[in-house]
Amino acid sequence: MGVRKKERAEQIKEAKAQVAFAKLNNCPTSPRKMRLVADLVRGKKVELALNILRFSQKEASRKLEKLLLSAIANWQAKNAEASLEEAGLFVKEIRVDGGMMLKRLRPAPQGRAHRIRKRSNHVTIVLGENNNTQSN
């Protein structure tokens, strides 16, 4: 491995150590429905995001709440000595990508068939620390 490549790899590794993230793969909800809920918490503080997800009526909010709790636990595992309240964690990035699609056939009149696409998605939550006190 060359020197520049090795230095760049070390920089990327250090940058990843600063943030905490969690991934949910092949969640059996359509990406469009999940994005509606993800847009509610993007950029919010962690406490506020948890409250929004806890009291939302949508089914996707239950899965996002569990994923956010997992990301918080990952952050606490990296920063055992730091406290959650003083860190000022917020949802830095949340991505919802399309996952695999189950293709099914539904019978239709006159011997025809319609294709049903059961969509799934991949969700990634990245938490960032905010040392400044902002109100979101």
Side-chain angles (χ1 to χ4, degrees), residues 22-24 27 29 31-42 46 49-50 52-54 56 58-72 91 93-96 121-127:
K23 287 184 73 171
L24 174 64
C27 178
T29 307
R32 186 174 181 178
K33 291 177 184 177
M34 188 65 85
R35 280 187 197 110
L36 286 174
V37 179
D39 290 340
L40 294 174
V41 298
R42 184 174 286 122
V46 168
L50 280 173
I52 290 171
L53 293 174
R54 190 166 291 132
S56 176
K58 299 205 174 273
E59 182 187 346
S61 65
R62 307 289 168 254
K63 295 173 180 162
L64 270 184
E65 180 186 3
K66 192 171 180 180
L67 185 65
L68 183 57
L69 289 171
S70 175
I72 293 169
V91 180
E93 182 182 348
I94 182 167
R95 280 193 317 269
V96 180
N121 61 58
H122 306 312
V123 185
T124 306
I125 291 184
V126 178
L127 300 181

Side-chain angles (χ1 to χ4, degrees), residues 3-4 10 14 35 41-42 46 67 71 89 94 97 103 106 110 120-121 130:
V3 175
R4 283 185 309 202
E10 289 174 2
E14 289 175 11
R35 280 187 197 110
V41 298
R42 184 174 286 122
V46 168
L67 185 65
L89 284 179
I94 182 167
D97 302 321
K103 294 175 181 162
R106 167 150 302 164
Q110 298 181 354
S120 66
N121 61 58
N130 188 7

